[in-house]
Amino acid sequence: GGVAGYTTHTIVEFLQSPPRDGVTSLFQSLRILDLSGNLLGDEASARILEMVFLPSSSHNIERLDLSRNGIKKGHAVKRTLQECASSKPKLEVLNMAKNELGFGDVASDVVYSLAGVLSSLTSLDLSSNLLTGEVLDRLGGILIGNSRLQVLNVSDNQFSKSSVESLTSMLYRAIK
């Protein structure tokens, strides 16, 4: 698959290319990477996440938008989250909206990662992903221990009234 004529493999290589003639590489100066709406799919999205998460990569990406990329079941994204669990990336904003993540359990792994590799996030967007109350239940437990997250968008999913009430009740008890 490609983005504007380039394959994801080429984009990753370009972003990671070493500086030439003492000039900082694009990857080192880049702060925001918006790849939304490119239908990258699971594998390519996982490669981008891996590039951002790996401690060996000298990047400064703080905002990553992978919305509308058709991740769906997300087996590769899930594997990347697990493999990079101990990394501490600079990533603060992650948008994974409109990826149909409800077809698999990758959304749960994203939620669990808020306590690990995604613990530096201040904003997470999981809107319009066909998510169910199970994800909200997991989210409630993780949010209690995450003091950095300021913005959470889980709109337009398939949560029941009782799931939302359970989440708000859990959060309310945590601040008492």
Side-chain angles (χ1 to χ4, degrees), residues 74-96:
H75 297 297
V77 166
K78 181 178 177 175
R79 188 172 54 249
T80 297
L81 288 170
Q82 291 168 347
E83 289 172 358
C84 298
S86 61
S87 298
K88 296 292 179 205
K90 297 171 183 147
L91 192 65
E92 293 179 4
V93 177
L94 178 60
N95 185 346
M96 294 185 74

Side-chain angles (χ1 to χ4, degrees), residues 1-27:
V3 179
Y6 294 94
T7 64
T8 306
H9 184 70
T10 305
I11 290 171
V12 171
E13 284 178 350
F14 175 69
L15 289 171
Q16 291 178 318
S17 63
R20 293 193 179 107
D21 300 324
V23 177
T24 304
S25 74
L26 175 62
F27 194 50

Side-chain angles (χ1 to χ4, degrees), residues 25-89:
S25 74
L26 175 62
F27 194 50
Q28 289 173 315
S29 62
L30 197 63
R31 298 286 184 269
I32 299 170
L33 181 57
D34 186 344
L35 291 168
S36 62
N38 283 297
L39 300 176
L40 296 176
D42 181 34
E43 290 289 332
S45 295
R47 283 194 55 153
I48 298 296
L49 284 169
E50 181 180 34
M51 176 184 72
V52 170
F53 292 160
L54 285 180
S56 60
S57 60
S58 59
H59 71 82
N60 292 300
I61 293 178
E62 297 167 355
R63 297 171 174 260
L64 177 61
D65 191 338
L66 289 175
S67 63
R68 300 183 331 272
N69 273 298
I71 295 172
K72 298 186 180 181
K73 289 186 179 179
H75 297 297
V77 166
K78 181 178 177 175
R79 188 172 54 249
T80 297
L81 288 170
Q82 291 168 347
E83 289 172 358
C84 298
S86 61
S87 298
K88 296 292 179 205

Side-chain angles (χ1 to χ4, degrees), residues 10 18 45 61 105 112 128 158:
T10 305
S45 295
I61 293 178
D105 59 355
Y112 285 135
S128 302
Q158 299 178 343

